[in-house]
Structures are given as structure tokens and as C-alpha cells.
Coordinates of all heavy atoms in Angstrom, one line a residue:
M1 N 12.3 30.2 -45.3 CA 13.4 29.3 -45.6 C 13.6 28.4 -44.4 O 13.8 27.2 -44.6 CB 14.6 30.1 -46.0 CG 15.8 29.2 -46.3 SD 16.0 29.0 -48.0 CE 17.6 28.4 -48.1
E2 N 13.7 29.0 -43.3 CA 13.9 28.3 -42.1 C 12.8 27.3 -41.8 O 13.0 26.2 -41.3 CB 14.2 29.2 -40.9 CG 14.9 28.6 -39.8 CD 15.3 29.6 -38.8 OE1 15.9 30.6 -39.1 OE2 15.0 29.3 -37.6
Y3 N 11.6 27.7 -42.2 CA 10.4 26.9 -42.0 C 10.5 25.6 -42.8 O 10.2 24.5 -42.3 CB 9.2 27.7 -42.4 CG 7.9 26.9 -42.2 CD1 7.4 26.7 -40.9 CD2 7.2 26.5 -43.3 CE1 6.2 26.0 -40.8 CE2 6.0 25.8 -43.1 CZ 5.5 25.6 -41.8 OH 4.3 24.9 -41.7
N4 N 11.0 25.7 -44.1 CA 11.1 24.5 -44.9 C 12.2 23.6 -44.3 O 12.0 22.4 -44.4 CB 11.5 25.0 -46.3 CG 10.4 25.6 -47.0 OD1 9.2 25.4 -46.7 ND2 10.7 26.5 -48.0
R5 N 13.2 24.2 -43.8 CA 14.3 23.3 -43.2 C 13.8 22.5 -42.0 O 14.1 21.4 -41.8 CB 15.5 24.3 -42.7 CG 16.6 23.5 -42.1 CD 17.4 22.8 -43.1 NE 18.5 22.1 -42.5 CZ 18.9 20.9 -42.7 NH1 18.3 20.2 -43.7 NH2 19.8 20.3 -42.1
M6 N 12.9 23.1 -41.2 CA 12.3 22.4 -40.0 C 11.4 21.3 -40.5 O 11.4 20.2 -39.9 CB 11.5 23.4 -39.2 CG 12.4 24.3 -38.4 SD 11.6 25.6 -37.4 CE 10.2 24.8 -36.7
I7 N 10.7 21.5 -41.6 CA 9.8 20.4 -42.1 C 10.7 19.3 -42.6 O 10.4 18.1 -42.4 CB 8.9 21.0 -43.2 CG1 7.9 21.9 -42.7 CG2 8.2 19.8 -44.0 CD1 7.0 22.6 -43.7
E8 N 11.8 19.6 -43.3 CA 12.7 18.5 -43.8 C 13.3 17.7 -42.6 O 13.4 16.5 -42.6 CB 13.8 19.1 -44.6 CG 13.3 19.6 -46.0 CD 14.4 20.3 -46.8 OE1 15.6 20.1 -46.4 OE2 14.1 21.0 -47.7
L9 N 13.7 18.4 -41.6 CA 14.3 17.8 -40.4 C 13.3 16.9 -39.7 O 13.6 15.8 -39.2 CB 14.9 18.8 -39.4 CG 16.2 19.5 -39.8 CD1 16.5 20.6 -38.8 CD2 17.3 18.5 -40.0
A10 N 12.0 17.3 -39.6 CA 10.9 16.6 -39.0 C 10.7 15.3 -39.8 O 10.4 14.2 -39.2 CB 9.7 17.4 -38.9
R11 N 10.8 15.4 -41.1 CA 10.5 14.2 -41.9 C 11.7 13.2 -41.8 O 11.5 12.0 -41.9 CB 10.3 14.6 -43.4 CG 9.0 15.2 -43.7 CD 8.9 15.6 -45.1 NE 7.6 16.3 -45.4 CZ 7.4 17.0 -46.4 NH1 8.3 17.2 -47.3 NH2 6.2 17.7 -46.5
E12 N 12.9 13.7 -41.6 CA 14.0 12.8 -41.5 C 14.1 12.1 -40.2 O 14.7 11.0 -40.1 CB 15.3 13.6 -41.8 CG 15.5 14.1 -43.2 CD 16.7 15.0 -43.3 OE1 17.4 15.2 -42.4 OE2 16.9 15.6 -44.4
S13 N 13.7 12.7 -39.2 CA 13.8 12.1 -37.8 C 12.8 11.0 -37.6 O 11.6 11.1 -38.1 CB 13.6 13.2 -36.7 OG 12.3 13.7 -36.8
A14 N 13.2 10.0 -37.0 CA 12.3 8.9 -36.7 C 11.5 9.1 -35.5 O 12.0 9.7 -34.5 CB 13.1 7.6 -36.5
P15 N 10.3 8.7 -35.4 CA 9.4 8.9 -34.2 C 10.0 8.1 -33.1 O 10.5 6.9 -33.3 CB 8.0 8.4 -34.6 CG 8.3 7.5 -35.8 CD 9.5 8.0 -36.5
D16 N 10.0 8.6 -31.9 CA 10.6 7.9 -30.7 C 9.5 7.2 -29.9 O 9.7 7.0 -28.7 CB 11.4 8.9 -29.9 CG 10.6 10.1 -29.4 OD1 9.5 10.3 -30.0 OD2 11.1 10.8 -28.5
A17 N 8.4 7.0 -30.4 CA 7.3 6.3 -29.7 C 7.7 4.8 -29.6 O 8.2 4.2 -30.6 CB 6.0 6.4 -30.4
P18 N 7.4 4.2 -28.5 CA 7.7 2.8 -28.3 C 6.8 1.9 -29.2 O 5.7 2.3 -29.5 CB 7.5 2.5 -26.8 CG 6.6 3.5 -26.4 CD 6.8 4.7 -27.3
D19 N 7.3 0.7 -29.6 CA 6.5 -0.1 -30.4 C 5.5 -0.9 -29.5 O 5.5 -0.9 -28.2 CB 7.3 -1.1 -31.2 CG 8.2 -2.0 -30.3 OD1 8.4 -1.7 -29.1 OD2 8.6 -3.1 -30.8
T20 N 4.6 -1.6 -30.1 CA 3.5 -2.3 -29.4 C 4.1 -3.4 -28.4 O 3.6 -3.5 -27.3 CB 2.5 -2.9 -30.4 OG1 2.1 -1.9 -31.3 CG2 1.3 -3.5 -29.7
G21 N 5.0 -4.1 -28.9 CA 5.6 -5.2 -28.0 C 6.2 -4.6 -26.7 O 6.1 -5.2 -25.7
E22 N 6.9 -3.5 -26.9 CA 7.5 -2.9 -25.7 C 6.4 -2.4 -24.7 O 6.5 -2.5 -23.5 CB 8.4 -1.7 -26.1 CG 9.2 -1.1 -25.0 CD 10.1 0.0 -25.5 OE1 10.3 0.1 -26.7 OE2 10.5 0.8 -24.6
L23 N 5.3 -1.8 -25.3 CA 4.2 -1.3 -24.4 C 3.6 -2.5 -23.7 O 3.3 -2.4 -22.5 CB 3.2 -0.6 -25.3 CG 3.5 0.8 -25.7 CD1 2.4 1.3 -26.7 CD2 3.6 1.7 -24.5
L24 N 3.3 -3.6 -24.4 CA 2.7 -4.8 -23.8 C 3.6 -5.4 -22.7 O 3.1 -5.8 -21.7 CB 2.3 -5.8 -24.8 CG 1.1 -5.4 -25.7 CD1 0.9 -6.5 -26.8 CD2 -0.1 -5.3 -24.9
S25 N 4.9 -5.4 -23.0 CA 5.8 -6.0 -21.9 C 5.8 -5.1 -20.7 O 5.9 -5.6 -19.6 CB 7.2 -6.2 -22.5 OG 7.8 -4.9 -22.8
N26 N 5.7 -3.8 -20.9 CA 5.7 -2.9 -19.7 C 4.4 -3.1 -18.9 O 4.4 -3.1 -17.7 CB 5.8 -1.4 -20.2 CG 7.2 -1.1 -20.6 OD1 8.2 -1.7 -20.2 ND2 7.3 0.0 -21.3
V27 N 3.3 -3.2 -19.6 CA 2.0 -3.4 -19.0 C 2.0 -4.8 -18.2 O 1.6 -4.9 -17.0 CB 0.8 -3.4 -20.0 CG1 -0.5 -3.9 -19.3 CG2 0.6 -2.0 -20.5
R28 N 2.5 -5.8 -18.8 CA 2.6 -7.1 -18.2 C 3.5 -7.0 -16.9 O 3.2 -7.6 -15.9 CB 3.2 -8.2 -19.1 CG 2.2 -8.6 -20.2 CD 2.7 -9.7 -21.0 NE 1.8 -10.0 -22.1 CZ 2.1 -9.9 -23.4 NH1 3.3 -9.6 -23.8 NH2 1.2 -10.2 -24.3
Q29 N 4.6 -6.3 -17.0 CA 5.5 -6.2 -15.9 C 4.8 -5.5 -14.7 O 5.0 -5.9 -13.6 CB 6.8 -5.5 -16.3 CG 7.9 -5.4 -15.2 CD 8.4 -6.8 -14.8 OE1 8.5 -7.7 -15.7 NE2 8.7 -7.0 -13.6
R30 N 4.1 -4.4 -15.0 CA 3.4 -3.7 -14.0 C 2.3 -4.6 -13.3 O 2.2 -4.5 -12.1 CB 2.8 -2.4 -14.6 CG 3.8 -1.3 -14.8 CD 3.0 0.0 -15.2 NE 4.0 0.8 -15.9 CZ 3.8 1.5 -17.0 NH1 2.6 1.3 -17.7 NH2 4.7 2.2 -17.5
L31 N 1.6 -5.3 -14.1 CA 0.6 -6.2 -13.6 C 1.2 -7.3 -12.7 O 0.7 -7.6 -11.6 CB -0.3 -6.8 -14.7 CG -1.2 -5.9 -15.4 CD1 -1.9 -6.7 -16.6 CD2 -2.3 -5.4 -14.4
Y32 N 2.3 -7.8 -13.1 CA 3.0 -8.8 -12.3 C 3.5 -8.3 -11.0 O 3.3 -8.9 -10.0 CB 4.2 -9.4 -13.2 CG 5.1 -10.3 -12.4 CD1 4.6 -11.7 -12.2 CD2 6.3 -10.0 -11.8 CE1 5.4 -12.6 -11.5 CE2 7.1 -10.8 -11.1 CZ 6.6 -12.1 -11.0 OH 7.4 -13.0 -10.3
N33 N 4.1 -7.0 -11.1 CA 4.5 -6.4 -9.8 C 3.4 -6.1 -8.9 O 3.5 -6.3 -7.7 CB 5.3 -5.1 -10.1 CG 6.6 -5.4 -10.8 OD1 7.2 -6.4 -10.7 ND2 7.1 -4.3 -11.5
R34 N 2.2 -5.7 -9.4 CA 1.1 -5.4 -8.6 C 0.6 -6.7 -7.9 O 0.3 -6.7 -6.7 CB 0.0 -4.8 -9.4 CG -1.2 -4.4 -8.6 CD -2.3 -3.8 -9.4 NE -1.8 -2.6 -10.1 CZ -2.4 -2.1 -11.2 NH1 -3.4 -2.7 -11.8 NH2 -1.9 -1.0 -11.8
R35 N 0.5 -7.8 -8.7 CA 0.1 -9.0 -8.1 C 1.0 -9.5 -7.0 O 0.6 -10.1 -6.0 CB -0.1 -10.1 -9.2 CG -1.3 -9.9 -10.1 CD -1.5 -11.1 -11.0 NE -2.4 -10.7 -12.1 CZ -2.1 -10.7 -13.4 NH1 -0.9 -11.0 -13.8 NH2 -3.0 -10.3 -14.2
Q36 N 2.3 -9.3 -7.3 CA 3.3 -9.8 -6.3 C 3.1 -8.9 -5.0 O 3.2 -9.5 -3.9 CB 4.7 -9.6 -6.8 CG 5.1 -10.6 -7.8 CD 5.2 -12.0 -7.2 OE1 4.2 -12.8 -7.4 NE2 6.3 -12.3 -6.5
R37 N 2.9 -7.6 -5.1 CA 2.7 -6.8 -3.9 C 1.4 -7.2 -3.2 O 1.4 -7.3 -1.9 CB 2.6 -5.3 -4.3 CG 3.9 -4.6 -4.2 CD 3.7 -3.1 -4.5 NE 3.9 -2.9 -5.9 CZ 3.0 -2.3 -6.7 NH1 2.0 -1.8 -6.2 NH2 3.3 -2.2 -8.0
Q38 N 0.3 -7.6 -3.9 CA -0.9 -8.0 -3.3 C -0.7 -9.3 -2.6 O -1.2 -9.5 -1.5 CB -2.0 -8.1 -4.3 CG -2.5 -6.8 -4.9 CD -3.5 -7.0 -6.0 OE1 -3.6 -8.1 -6.6 NE2 -4.2 -5.9 -6.4
R39 N 0.0 -10.2 -3.2 CA 0.3 -11.5 -2.5 C 1.1 -11.3 -1.3 O 0.8 -12.0 -0.2 CB 1.0 -12.5 -3.5 CG 0.1 -13.0 -4.6 CD 0.9 -13.9 -5.5 NE 0.1 -14.3 -6.6 CZ 0.5 -14.3 -7.9 NH1 1.8 -14.1 -8.1 NH2 -0.3 -14.6 -8.9
L40 N 2.1 -10.5 -1.3 CA 2.9 -10.2 -0.2 C 2.1 -9.6 1.0 O 2.3 -10.0 2.1 CB 4.1 -9.3 -0.6 CG 5.1 -9.0 0.5 CD1 5.8 -10.3 1.0 CD2 6.1 -8.0 0.0
T41 N 1.3 -8.6 0.6 CA 0.4 -8.0 1.6 C -0.5 -9.0 2.3 O -0.7 -9.0 3.5 CB -0.4 -6.8 1.0 OG1 0.6 -5.9 0.4 CG2 -1.2 -6.1 2.0
L42 N -1.1 -9.8 1.4 CA -2.0 -10.9 1.9 C -1.3 -11.8 2.8 O -1.8 -12.2 3.9 CB -2.7 -11.6 0.8 CG -3.7 -12.7 1.2 CD1 -4.9 -12.1 1.9 CD2 -4.1 -13.4 -0.1
A43 N -0.1 -12.3 2.5 CA 0.6 -13.2 3.3 C 1.0 -12.5 4.6 O 1.0 -13.2 5.7 CB 1.9 -13.6 2.5
A44 N 1.4 -11.3 4.6 CA 1.7 -10.6 5.8 C 0.5 -10.5 6.8 O 0.6 -10.7 8.0 CB 2.3 -9.2 5.5
V45 N -0.6 -10.1 6.2 CA -1.8 -10.0 7.0 C -2.2 -11.4 7.6 O -2.6 -11.5 8.8 CB -3.0 -9.4 6.2 CG1 -4.3 -9.6 6.9 CG2 -2.7 -8.0 5.9
L46 N -2.2 -12.4 6.8 CA -2.5 -13.8 7.3 C -1.5 -14.2 8.4 O -1.9 -14.8 9.4 CB -2.5 -14.8 6.2 CG -3.7 -14.7 5.2 CD1 -3.5 -15.7 4.1 CD2 -5.0 -15.0 6.0
A47 N -0.2 -13.9 8.2 CA 0.8 -14.2 9.2 C 0.5 -13.5 10.5 O 0.6 -14.1 11.6 CB 2.2 -13.9 8.7
L48 N 0.1 -12.2 10.5 CA -0.2 -11.5 11.7 C -1.5 -12.0 12.4 O -1.5 -12.2 13.6 CB -0.4 -10.0 11.3 CG 0.8 -9.2 11.0 CD1 0.5 -7.8 10.6 CD2 1.7 -9.1 12.3
L49 N -2.5 -12.4 11.6 CA -3.7 -13.0 12.2 C -3.4 -14.3 12.8 O -3.9 -14.6 13.9 CB -4.8 -13.1 11.1 CG -5.4 -11.8 10.6 CD1 -6.4 -12.1 9.5 CD2 -6.1 -11.1 11.8
L50 N -2.7 -15.2 12.1 CA -2.4 -16.5 12.7 C -1.5 -16.3 13.9 O -1.7 -17.1 14.9 CB -1.7 -17.4 11.7 CG -2.7 -17.8 10.5 CD1 -1.9 -18.6 9.5 CD2 -3.8 -18.7 11.1
G51 N -0.5 -15.4 13.9 CA 0.3 -15.2 15.0 C -0.5 -14.7 16.2 O -0.3 -15.1 17.4
G52 N -1.4 -13.8 16.0 CA -2.2 -13.2 17.0 C -3.2 -14.3 17.6 O -3.4 -14.4 18.8
A53 N -3.7 -15.1 16.7 CA -4.6 -16.2 17.2 C -3.8 -17.3 18.0 O -4.3 -17.9 18.9 CB -5.3 -16.9 16.0
A54 N -2.5 -17.5 17.6 CA -1.7 -18.4 18.3 C -1.3 -17.9 19.7 O -1.2 -18.7 20.7 CB -0.5 -18.8 17.5
T55 N -1.0 -16.6 19.8 CA -0.6 -16.1 21.1 C -1.7 -15.7 22.1 O -1.5 -15.5 23.2 CB 0.3 -14.8 20.9 OG1 -0.5 -13.9 20.2 CG2 1.6 -15.2 20.2
L56 N -3.0 -15.6 21.6 CA -4.1 -15.2 22.4 C -4.3 -16.2 23.5 O -4.5 -15.8 24.7 CB -5.4 -15.1 21.5 CG -6.6 -14.6 22.3 CD1 -6.3 -13.1 22.8 CD2 -7.8 -14.6 21.3
P57 N -4.3 -17.5 23.3 CA -4.5 -18.4 24.5 C -3.4 -18.3 25.5 O -3.6 -18.5 26.7 CB -4.4 -19.8 23.8 CG -4.8 -19.6 22.4 CD -4.3 -18.3 22.1
L58 N -2.2 -18.0 25.1 CA -1.1 -17.8 26.0 C -1.3 -16.5 26.9 O -1.0 -16.5 28.1 CB 0.2 -17.7 25.3 CG 0.7 -18.9 24.5 CD1 2.0 -18.6 23.7 CD2 0.9 -20.1 25.4
L59 N -1.9 -15.5 26.3 CA -2.2 -14.3 27.1 C -3.3 -14.5 28.0 O -3.3 -14.0 29.2 CB -2.5 -13.1 26.1 CG -1.3 -12.7 25.2 CD1 -1.8 -11.6 24.2 CD2 -0.2 -12.2 26.0
V60 N -4.3 -15.2 27.6 CA -5.5 -15.4 28.4 C -5.3 -16.4 29.5 O -5.8 -16.4 30.6 CB -6.7 -15.8 27.5 CG1 -7.9 -16.2 28.4 CG2 -7.0 -14.7 26.6
Q61 N -4.4 -17.4 29.2 CA -4.1 -18.5 30.2 C -3.5 -18.0 31.5 O -3.8 -18.5 32.5 CB -3.2 -19.5 29.5 CG -3.0 -20.7 30.3 CD -2.1 -21.7 29.6 OE1 -1.3 -21.3 28.7 NE2 -2.1 -22.9 30.0
G62 N -2.7 -17.0 31.5 CA -2.1 -16.5 32.7 C -3.0 -15.8 33.7 O -2.7 -15.7 34.8
E63 N -4.1 -15.3 33.2 CA -5.0 -14.6 34.1 C -5.9 -15.6 34.9 O -6.5 -16.5 34.4 CB -6.0 -13.7 33.3 CG -5.2 -12.6 32.5 CD -6.2 -11.8 31.7 OE1 -7.4 -12.0 31.8 OE2 -5.7 -11.0 30.8
E64 N -5.9 -15.3 36.2 CA -6.8 -16.1 37.1 C -7.8 -15.2 37.7 O -7.5 -14.0 38.1 CB -5.9 -16.8 38.2 CG -5.0 -17.9 37.7 CD -4.3 -18.6 38.8 OE1 -4.8 -18.5 40.0 OE2 -3.3 -19.2 38.6
P65 N -9.0 -15.6 37.8 CA -10.0 -14.7 38.3 C -9.8 -14.5 39.8 O -9.3 -15.4 40.6 CB -11.3 -15.5 38.1 CG -10.9 -16.9 38.0 CD -9.5 -16.9 37.4
T66 N -10.0 -13.3 40.3 CA -9.8 -12.9 41.7 C -11.1 -13.3 42.4 O -12.2 -13.1 42.0 CB -9.5 -11.4 41.8 OG1 -10.6 -10.7 41.3 CG2 -8.2 -11.0 41.2
L67 N -10.9 -13.9 43.6 CA -12.0 -14.3 44.4 C -12.6 -13.1 45.2 O -11.9 -12.2 45.6 CB -11.6 -15.3 45.4 CG -11.0 -16.6 44.8 CD1 -10.5 -17.6 45.9 CD2 -12.1 -17.3 44.0
T68 N -13.9 -13.1 45.4 CA -14.6 -12.1 46.2 C -14.3 -12.4 47.6 O -13.8 -13.5 48.0 CB -16.1 -12.0 45.9 OG1 -16.6 -13.3 46.2 CG2 -16.3 -11.7 44.4
L69 N -14.7 -11.4 48.5 CA -14.5 -11.6 49.9 C -15.3 -12.8 50.4 O -14.8 -13.6 51.2 CB -14.9 -10.3 50.6 CG -14.8 -10.4 52.2 CD1 -13.3 -10.6 52.6 CD2 -15.3 -9.1 52.8
A70 N -16.6 -12.9 49.9 CA -17.4 -14.0 50.4 C -16.8 -15.4 49.9 O -16.9 -16.4 50.7 CB -18.8 -13.9 49.8
E71 N -16.3 -15.5 48.7 CA -15.7 -16.7 48.3 C -14.4 -17.1 49.1 O -14.2 -18.2 49.4 CB -15.3 -16.6 46.8 CG -16.6 -16.5 45.9 CD -16.2 -16.2 44.5 OE1 -15.2 -15.6 44.2 OE2 -17.0 -16.6 43.6
R72 N -13.7 -16.1 49.4 CA -12.5 -16.3 50.2 C -12.8 -16.8 51.6 O -12.2 -17.7 52.2 CB -11.6 -15.1 50.3 CG -10.8 -14.9 49.0 CD -9.9 -13.7 49.2 NE -10.7 -12.5 48.8 CZ -10.4 -11.3 49.2 NH1 -9.3 -11.0 49.8 NH2 -11.2 -10.3 48.8
V73 N -13.8 -16.2 52.3 CA -14.3 -16.6 53.6 C -14.9 -18.0 53.5 O -14.6 -18.9 54.4 CB -15.2 -15.6 54.2 CG1 -15.9 -16.1 55.5 CG2 -14.5 -14.3 54.4
S74 N -15.7 -18.3 52.5 CA -16.3 -19.6 52.4 C -15.3 -20.7 52.2 O -15.5 -21.8 52.6 CB -17.3 -19.6 51.3 OG -18.4 -18.7 51.6
A75 N -14.2 -20.3 51.5 CA -13.2 -21.3 51.2 C -12.5 -21.7 52.5 O -12.0 -22.9 52.6 CB -12.2 -20.8 50.2
R76 N -12.4 -20.8 53.5 CA -11.7 -21.1 54.7 C -12.6 -21.9 55.7 O -12.0 -22.7 56.5 CB -11.3 -19.8 55.4 CG -10.2 -19.1 54.7 CD -9.8 -17.9 55.5 NE -9.0 -17.0 54.6 CZ -8.9 -15.7 54.8 NH1 -9.6 -15.1 55.7 NH2 -8.1 -15.0 54.0
V77 N -13.9 -21.8 55.6 CA -14.8 -22.5 56.5 C -15.0 -23.9 56.1 O -15.4 -24.1 54.9 CB -16.1 -21.7 56.6 CG1 -17.1 -22.5 57.5 CG2 -15.9 -20.3 57.1
D78 N -14.8 -24.9 57.0 CA -15.0 -26.3 56.6 C -16.5 -26.6 56.9 O -17.0 -26.3 58.0 CB -14.1 -27.2 57.5 CG -12.7 -27.1 57.1 OD1 -12.4 -26.7 55.9 OD2 -11.8 -27.3 58.0
T79 N -17.1 -27.1 55.9 CA -18.5 -27.5 56.1 C -18.7 -29.0 55.9 O -18.1 -29.5 55.0 CB -19.5 -26.8 55.1 OG1 -19.0 -27.1 53.8 CG2 -19.5 -25.3 55.3
P80 N -19.4 -29.6 56.8 CA -19.6 -31.1 56.6 C -20.4 -31.3 55.3 O -21.1 -30.4 54.8 CB -20.4 -31.5 57.8 CG -20.4 -30.3 58.7 CD -20.0 -29.1 58.0
K81 N -20.3 -32.6 54.8 CA -21.0 -32.9 53.6 C -22.5 -32.8 53.7 O -23.2 -32.5 52.7 CB -20.6 -34.4 53.2 CG -19.2 -34.6 53.0 CD -18.8 -34.3 51.6 CE -17.3 -34.7 51.3 NZ -16.8 -34.1 50.2
S82 N -23.1 -33.0 54.9 CA -24.5 -33.0 55.0 C -25.0 -31.5 55.1 O -26.2 -31.3 54.8 CB -24.9 -33.7 56.3 OG -24.4 -33.1 57.4
K83 N -24.2 -30.6 55.4 CA -24.6 -29.2 55.5 C -24.4 -28.4 54.2 O -23.4 -28.7 53.5 CB -23.9 -28.5 56.7 CG -24.3 -28.8 58.0 CD -23.6 -27.9 59.0 CE -24.5 -27.7 60.2 NZ -23.9 -26.7 61.1
L84 N -25.2 -27.4 54.0 CA -25.0 -26.6 52.9 C -24.0 -25.5 53.2 O -23.9 -25.1 54.4 CB -26.4 -25.9 52.5 CG -27.4 -26.9 51.9 CD1 -28.7 -26.1 51.7 CD2 -27.0 -27.5 50.6
P85 N -23.4 -24.9 52.2 CA -22.5 -23.8 52.5 C -23.3 -22.6 53.1 O -24.5 -22.5 52.8 CB -21.9 -23.4 51.1 CG -22.1 -24.7 50.3 CD -23.3 -25.4 50.8
A86 N -22.6 -21.8 53.8 CA -23.3 -20.7 54.5 C -24.1 -19.8 53.6 O -25.3 -19.4 53.9 CB -22.3 -19.9 55.3
P87 N -23.6 -19.3 52.4 CA -24.5 -18.4 51.6 C -25.7 -19.1 51.1 O -26.8 -18.5 51.2 CB -23.6 -18.1 50.4 CG -22.2 -18.3 50.9 CD -22.3 -19.5 51.9
I88 N -25.7 -20.4 50.8 CA -26.9 -21.1 50.3 C -27.9 -21.3 51.5 O -29.1 -21.1 51.3 CB -26.5 -22.4 49.6 CG1 -25.7 -22.1 48.4 CG2 -27.8 -23.2 49.2 CD1 -25.1 -23.3 47.7
A89 N -27.3 -21.7 52.6 CA -28.2 -21.9 53.8 C -28.8 -20.6 54.2 O -30.0 -20.6 54.5 CB -27.3 -22.4 55.0
G90 N -28.1 -19.5 54.2 CA -28.7 -18.2 54.5 C -29.8 -17.8 53.5 O -30.8 -17.3 53.9
Y91 N -29.6 -18.1 52.3 CA -30.6 -17.9 51.3 C -31.9 -18.7 51.5 O -33.0 -18.2 51.5 CB -30.1 -18.2 49.9 CG -31.0 -17.9 48.7 CD1 -31.4 -16.6 48.4 CD2 -31.6 -18.9 48.0 CE1 -32.2 -16.3 47.4 CE2 -32.5 -18.7 47.0 CZ -32.8 -17.4 46.7 OH -33.7 -17.1 45.6
Q92 N -31.7 -19.9 51.9 CA -32.8 -20.8 52.2 C -33.6 -20.3 53.4 O -34.8 -20.3 53.5 CB -32.4 -22.3 52.4 CG -32.2 -23.0 51.1 CD -31.9 -24.4 51.3 OE1 -31.5 -24.9 52.4 NE2 -32.0 -25.2 50.3
H93 N -32.8 -19.8 54.4 CA -33.5 -19.3 55.6 C -34.2 -18.1 55.3 O -35.3 -17.9 55.9 CB -32.4 -19.0 56.7 CG -31.8 -20.3 57.3 ND1 -32.6 -21.3 57.9 CD2 -30.5 -20.7 57.4 CE1 -31.8 -22.3 58.3 NE2 -30.5 -21.9 58.0
S94 N -33.7 -17.2 54.5 CA -34.4 -16.0 54.2 C -35.7 -16.3 53.4 O -36.7 -15.6 53.6 CB -33.6 -15.0 53.4 OG -33.3 -15.6 52.1
I95 N -35.7 -17.3 52.6 CA -36.9 -17.7 51.8 C -38.0 -18.3 52.8 O -39.1 -17.9 52.8 CB -36.6 -18.8 50.8 CG1 -35.8 -18.1 49.6 CG2 -37.9 -19.4 50.2 CD1 -35.3 -19.1 48.6
S96 N -37.5 -19.1 53.8 CA -38.5 -19.7 54.7 C -39.0 -18.6 55.6 O -40.2 -18.6 56.0 CB -37.8 -20.8 55.5 OG -36.8 -20.3 56.3
N97 N -38.2 -17.6 56.0 CA -38.6 -16.5 56.9 C -39.7 -15.7 56.1 O -40.7 -15.2 56.7 CB -37.5 -15.6 57.3 CG -36.6 -16.3 58.3 OD1 -37.0 -17.3 59.0 ND2 -35.4 -15.8 58.5
R98 N -39.4 -15.5 54.8 CA -40.4 -14.7 54.0 C -41.7 -15.5 54.0 O -42.8 -14.8 54.1 CB -39.9 -14.4 52.7 CG -40.8 -13.6 51.8 CD -40.1 -13.2 50.5 NE -41.0 -12.6 49.6 CZ -41.4 -11.3 49.7 NH1 -40.8 -10.5 50.6 NH2 -42.2 -10.8 48.8
N99 N -41.7 -16.8 53.8 CA -42.9 -17.6 53.7 C -43.7 -17.5 55.1 O -44.9 -17.4 55.1 CB -42.6 -19.0 53.4 CG -42.1 -19.2 51.9 OD1 -42.4 -18.3 51.1 ND2 -41.4 -20.3 51.6
I100 N -42.9 -17.6 56.2 CA -43.5 -17.5 57.5 C -44.2 -16.1 57.7 O -45.3 -16.0 58.1 CB -42.5 -17.8 58.6 CG1 -42.1 -19.2 58.5 CG2 -43.1 -17.4 60.0 CD1 -41.0 -19.6 59.4
M101 N -43.5 -15.1 57.3 CA -44.0 -13.7 57.4 C -45.2 -13.5 56.5 O -46.2 -12.8 56.8 CB -43.0 -12.7 57.1 CG -41.8 -12.6 58.1 SD -42.4 -12.3 59.8 CE -42.9 -10.6 59.6
T102 N -45.3 -14.2 55.4 CA -46.4 -14.1 54.5 C -47.6 -14.8 55.1 O -48.8 -14.3 55.0 CB -46.1 -14.8 53.1 OG1 -44.9 -14.2 52.6 CG2 -47.2 -14.5 52.1
L103 N -47.4 -15.9 55.8 CA -48.5 -16.6 56.4 C -49.1 -15.8 57.6 O -50.3 -15.9 57.8 CB -48.1 -18.0 56.9 CG -47.8 -19.0 55.8 CD1 -47.3 -20.3 56.4 CD2 -49.1 -19.3 55.0
I104 N -48.2 -15.1 58.3 CA -48.7 -14.4 59.5 C -49.5 -13.2 59.0 O -50.5 -12.8 59.3 CB -47.5 -13.9 60.3 CG1 -46.8 -15.2 60.9 CG2 -47.9 -13.0 61.5 CD1 -45.6 -14.9 61.7

């Protein structure tokens, strides 16, 4: 008897499944939200890249190369226009000395 009553109650109750229009609107809303998140993420990444590219020259611009000891000493020595700087002259002398030693 109780079994028959359950069958009658099941027939009387309306199914609570959503209709097709509601399902489609939910799917559309989820897709819209996903696209919005993707656009926002892309915009944030592009802003970070452009900001990094814009600040990179400012970071690099402040660095000056440090001079070596030979460059600092050569900068202090005044050389006439007709003479070569000491490192280049020394290099030329070593080449000519090698040539002389090769001939001997």
C-alpha cells in the first residue's frame, strides 16, 4: 500500500530539472566569464611586459663601465698627437723585436 502511495506522489511531483533556455544561459554566462578572465590576464601580462621594457633602459643607463688599471693610467698620461699611446707603442715594439729576433 505504501508502495502505491509513493508511485502516486512521484507522478504528482513535477521534475525539478532546468529547462533548455536556463541551461544555455548558464553556459553562455560561464563562457563570457572565462573570456573576461582570459582578457584580464592577457592585459595584465602585456602591462607587465611593457612596463619592464620601459624601465629596462633606465636601469641599464645608470651603470657605467669601470676602467681597468691600464686605462686609468693611460688616461692620466698626456701623449702628443704624433705619438701612439703607450700600450699600442709597446705592442709595436714587441712585434719589431720579434721580427729582429727571427732574422737573427
